[in-house]
Amino acid sequence: MTVGVPATPWFAVRRELAPRQRAVLALIAVLLPLAVWSAVSYVPWIWHPMMMVERGAEDSYLKPGTLVEHGAFVRENQRLVSAGQVPATGVPANPVFLPAPHLVAIALYQAFVTPPRLRGDPWLHQSLWQSIQVIFWGFTLSALVGVPLGVLCGTFAAIARVVEPFVDFIRYMPAPAFGALMVAILGINDAPKIAVIFIGTFFQMVLVVANTTRQLDRALLEAAQTLGARNRQLVTSVILPGIMPNLYSDMRVLLGWAWTYLIVAELIGATSGISYFINRQGKLLNFANVYAGIAIIGMIGLVTDQILSALGRALFPWQNQPVGAVTRWALAIIGFVPRVVLRTVARNRAEYQRSQAELLARHRAAAAPSAPHVERPETPP
Amino acid sequence: MSDVLALPDYTEMDPAVAARFVRLKQRPVVLEVDRVGKTYASAKGPTTALADVSFQVHRREFITVIGASGCGKSTLIRMLAGLEPYTAGSIALDGKPVSGPGPERGMVFQGYTLFPWLTVTRNVMFGLRMAGMGDDEARSQAQQWIELVGLARFADAYPHQLSGGMKQRVAIARALANRPRILLMDEPFGALDAQTRSQMQSYLLQIWENVNITVLFITHDLDEAILLADRIVVLGAPTPGIPHGHLMEIIDVPVPHPRSAEQLLSPRFLATRRRIEELIHGGHAQSTSDKLPMIKMTQAGDEVV
């Protein structure tokens, strides 16, 4: 019989769990979706509404490698049998839009290490880097204007009364609708994309920041006033430091919005970036690659959020939030993944460049006899 | 009734105490409150929270303001602090009318209101920094005040690491660091447990005795009001006769100094206490209004009294 503090029940209203319980649940949170996905993908009698034809039949559309609906497969085979022919064989399969986990993992790896088809096309990591830059500039510009404006709105009713109705009006307009306009004004490159992200986040940001500013305990402002703080000092010495942690988490939430708008933004003007990759692979029905692309965005989001969260704890020590085991794990994992990816990318890139160099050298060698004294490496003889 | 103490009249006092009051009232007036009132617009039309309150606070005096809930004592101190405008009469500090909050009227709130993002030292430095004092000078002055309230060990702690009593000591140090002409305290110990509260009262008396400071202290606790005060301003809640918060009486506390918790049971203390109870609860009205319309829900023979 155990004596002492009873273990925390799993379902207790508004009570934190023991560290061990939290760790177990975090593990389940990761493994459970993966297990469901794996079960659906690898266990033949779960779902699998299609048949992948293995051995085809003559005089039939059932050719090896064809993916057909289960019912159609059975009917076609019955027809073949009644016609006295050898029926086709096949294995249960899932639709093309649900690739198995290992295929996505392979696609993820392949996507990074496959050279672009056309010279001058970006590698995946270059596309990603471009997407990140678009997000960064769109969001930074939005924050540079939106945060001060939001703080002013939350602080001075006179400013809020003028700014907020206008902002409230525009924020209901879908940001992508401005895409064509932005292209007309800003050209086809990154500028209109940055503008769409700006429009998508800025107006929300003003209202969210204004609201956060208003949440600050009024008593703190009163205390500061009785200590001699004047208007400007109230803003710089009480409101700004006081709202900083909430402002910080607002920014984390809004950064997620920026990623949502990125997908639309990248389709306007000259399509580029990670969404170009996803779209193109979708059109080619390479759904493993589509999932890989989506997973990349998810991972970037998770990584940034965890980094920002850890940074937040370092920035606001007075908030008394201990670093949880899950965050420590996440930091360890996300610290590990980019290292592996980057190393692989670097290695493959080096290999690619070496092979290109070899190719070039071979060209030169071939061109050399006919024109020994002239360097014409690119043109064949 | 034989079990009720026979107490002296609350206006009687020892000659030494009476002489002290004569000296006290000769001191210069720091705060002059003259027929102050506040009327605000509400859904039911203009409502008067407080009207016609007048009193003076002399230099280094300790005044407590007591009253039942709804008497407007919080409104009064917020008007004195300049956090709320008054709509009638005048408030003057050292002869200058009060308009808006200022560092010469320091305030300690019931809810601590420490800046959670600043350490204890930085909290105490706040007012000095706002006044434009350099960082080093402000820090060394703040350290003295932190030592005065006995928190030198916690100088680098953040407010969330402190107990309620410690937080309130920081708040007092923070207000005192500005060297205010008067320290306004709005039920500062109301959220503390009985033991901490009694300890804080003792600290506050020690600080008041040793620092050049005038205190106006709001409370709803009778013992606290008497134990701390030179004089007590008793405010009345609205009655059918007077439909707003109003001044009932200003009592010269006959309990001699230095004060300590042992005096809580002295005859003069109890006499004062009884007088305030009469004022606030309207004498005998209390015993009738305390009765609930009870139906007996226990079995016969199961009486507890």
Side-chain angles (χ1 to χ4, degrees):
Chain A
M1 191 183 141
T2 46
V3 184
V5 183
T8 321
W10 287 92
F11 293 95
V13 174
R14 297 268 327 239
R15 274 180 63 189
E16 190 46 283
L17 296 162
R20 206 192 172 84
Q21 288 172 305
R22 288 205 298 267
V24 168
L25 290 175
L27 206 61
I28 291 176
V30 175
L31 293 183
L32 193 64
L34 205 60
V36 171
W37 185 17
S38 301
V40 172
S41 298
Y42 300 130
V43 182
W45 62 84
I46 298 179
W47 204 34
H48 288 75
M50 313 292 278
M51 289 299 274
M52 171 72 81
V53 179
E54 283 192 326
R55 195 194 67 216
E58 281 174 45
D59 299 337
S60 167
Y61 64 86
L62 296 180
K63 299 294 173 214
T66 318
L67 202 59
V68 293
E69 270 181 39
H70 196 269
F73 180 82
V74 171
R75 280 194 301 278
E76 180 67 6
N77 265 351
Q78 282 168 350
R79 188 188 67 78
L80 288 167
V81 169
S82 60
Q85 290 185 346
V86 186
T89 61
V91 288
N94 278 328
V96 69
F97 59 78
L98 188 79
H102 76 277
L103 293 178
V104 174
I106 292 169
L108 189 61
Y109 175 79
Q110 290 293 340
F112 274 105
V113 301
T114 310
R117 247 176 246 176
L118 302 173
R119 292 189 69 176
D121 265 12
W123 286 67
L124 179 60
H125 65 267
Q126 288 170 330
S127 298
L128 261 181
W129 179 236
Q130 207 209 347
S131 294
I132 290 172
Q133 281 177 313
V134 168
I135 288 264
F136 175 81
W137 287 114
F139 192 75
T140 304
L141 289 175
S142 170
L144 279 178
V145 191
V147 170
L149 192 59
V151 170
L152 287 176
C153 283
T155 306
F156 301 107
I159 296 177
R161 294 278 165 184
V162 174
V163 172
E164 286 190 7
F166 177 71
V167 168
D168 230 351
F169 173 61
I170 297 202
R171 87 182 163 117
Y172 281 103
M173 301 179 184
F178 291 91
L181 186 66
M182 289 302 127
V183 170
I185 298 172
L186 297 167
I188 60 164
N189 291 319
D190 282 353
K193 305 180 206 311
I194 292 170
V196 165
I197 289 173
F198 180 91
I199 293 169
T201 51
F202 173 78
F203 297 98
Q204 304 290 343
M205 192 182 287
V206 172
L207 295 184
V208 167
V209 171
N211 201 37
T212 295
T213 309
R214 289 192 192 105
Q215 305 275 311
L216 183 71
D217 188 358
R218 204 188 175 74
L220 292 181
L221 291 169
E222 291 184 343
Q225 282 178 301
T226 63
L227 290 166
R230 304 252 157 228
N231 260 7
R232 244 185 85 161
Q233 292 171 318
L234 284 177
V235 175
T236 55
S237 301
V238 183
I239 292 182
L240 281 180
I243 64 168
M244 208 48 95
N246 287 337
L247 194 62
Y248 190 81
S249 39
D250 287 347
M251 291 302 118
R252 277 171 61 193
V253 173
L254 285 162
L255 190 59
W257 286 54
W259 277 97
T260 311
Y261 284 111
L262 174 78
I263 300 304
V264 192
E266 284 183 340
L267 295 180
I268 61 175
T271 49
S272 67
I274 179 72
S275 10
Y276 171 70
F277 171 81
I278 293 174
N279 253 315
R280 187 161 169 74
Q281 296 301 324
K283 282 179 188 148
L284 297 171
L285 299 186
N286 289 336
F287 284 99
N289 286 3
V290 171
Y291 284 104
I294 295 173
I296 290 168
I297 294 183
M299 277 190 271
I300 292 175
L302 185 72
V303 169
T304 3
D305 200 62
Q306 288 296 325
I307 291 172
L308 290 179
S309 154
L311 196 64
R313 270 187 293 275
L315 285 174
F316 313 115
W318 48 276
Q319 284 234 305
N320 194 25
Q321 297 166 325
V323 180
V326 176
T327 315
R328 279 203 306 274
W329 288 5
L331 283 173
I333 293 168
I334 64 185
F336 177 71
V337 171
R339 273 204 301 277
V340 172
V341 171
L342 288 176
R343 207 180 302 147
T344 317
V345 166
R347 198 179 58 217
N348 285 287
R349 200 173 169 186
E351 264 171 29
Y352 172 74
Q353 278 164 354
R354 203 163 45 238
S355 70
Q356 291 285 309
E358 268 172 31
L359 213 64
L360 204 67
R362 225 173 292 151
H363 269 295
R364 282 183 189 172
S370 60
H373 301 295
V374 188
E375 283 281 296
R376 286 160 62 200
E378 297 292 343
T379 35
Chain B
M1 281 183 279
S2 59
D3 56 346
V4 174
L5 282 175
L7 294 174
D9 189 273
Y10 75 99
T11 53
E12 286 175 19
M13 52 183 78
D14 296 337
V17 176
R20 184 171 172 277
F21 270 111
V22 172
R23 289 200 306 276
L24 190 153
K25 286 169 187 173
Q26 284 167 353
R27 290 185 208 150
V29 173
V30 172
L31 185 74
E32 170 95 51
V33 179
D34 185 25
R35 284 165 294 148
V36 150
K38 181 171 180 73
T39 304
Y40 58 92
S42 75
K44 291 177 283 181
T47 308
T48 302
L50 198 69
D52 215 20
V53 174
S54 301
F55 60 92
Q56 294 178 328
V57 185
H58 300 268
R59 196 179 81 77
R60 293 209 62 191
E61 192 176 6
F62 201 128
I63 287 242
T64 57
V65 179
I66 193 166
S69 55
C71 69
K73 53 188 191 292
S74 269
T75 307
L76 175 67
I77 200 166
R78 288 177 60 80
M79 291 192 298
L80 297 179
L83 295 171
E84 272 182 37
Y86 43 95
T87 54
S90 68
I91 298 173
L93 186 85
D94 293 325
K96 290 190 287 286
V98 163
S99 62
E104 72 287 348
R105 280 159 290 130
M107 181 130 164
V108 176
F109 300 80
Q110 182 178 356
Y112 314 126
T113 65
L114 296 181
F115 303 118
W117 59 91
L118 298 178
T119 60
V120 167
T121 309
R122 287 253 153 218
N123 261 287
V124 177
M125 286 165 68
F126 187 88
L128 301 172
R129 296 287 290 145
M130 290 300 112
M133 188 183 281
D135 206 67
D136 294 340
E137 173 65 12
R139 181 176 296 274
S140 73
Q141 285 200 16
Q143 270 159 6
Q144 290 172 17
W145 290 105
I146 292 166
E147 274 166 35
L148 182 91
V149 297
L151 288 175
R153 282 201 310 127
F154 296 91
D156 294 323
Y158 284 98
H160 73 81
Q161 297 165 309
L162 306 179
S163 71
M166 283 152 76
K167 281 184 201 168
Q168 209 53 296
R169 279 192 270 163
V170 177
I172 292 170
R174 184 177 69 170
L176 289 177
N178 262 6
R179 311 308 305 260
R181 291 290 294 152
I182 189 165
L183 181 64
L184 306 170
M185 305 183 82
D186 186 7
E187 302 200 32
F189 308 147
L192 304 176
D193 63 84
Q195 202 183 345
T196 312
R197 170 187 275 241
S198 151
Q199 193 184 35
M200 291 297 293
Q201 289 163 356
S202 154
Y203 284 142
L204 182 60
L205 282 171
Q206 291 172 47
I207 291 169
W208 170 69
E209 281 159 23
N210 295 297
V211 175
N212 174 8
I213 185 71
T214 310
V215 183
L216 187 137
F217 188 108
I218 300 262
T219 180
H220 61 261
D221 180 327
L222 299 180
D223 291 332
E224 185 169 74
I226 302 163
L227 184 69
L228 297 176
D230 288 320
R231 292 190 298 152
I232 302 173
V233 174
V234 185
L235 296 183
T239 59
I242 314 170
H244 50 72
H246 55 280
L247 179 66
M248 298 184 92
E249 189 175 335
I250 299 174
I251 297 174
D252 294 352
V253 179
V255 184
H257 281 86
R259 299 279 170 75
S260 72
E262 286 101 70
Q263 291 168 310
L264 286 173
L265 294 173
S266 75
R268 296 216 189 280
F269 194 102
L270 293 175
T272 314
R273 196 181 200 287
R274 181 187 285 175
R275 173 60 185 161
I276 300 173
E277 255 171 10
E278 270 171 23
L279 286 169
I280 293 177
H281 299 122
H284 298 289
Q286 185 190 12
S287 50
T288 53
S289 65
D290 279 355
K291 290 277 183 221
L292 289 172
M294 268 298 161
I295 304 163
K296 200 171 178 74
M297 296 176 78
T298 57
Q299 288 178 351
D302 198 23
E303 279 80 21
V304 283
V305 287

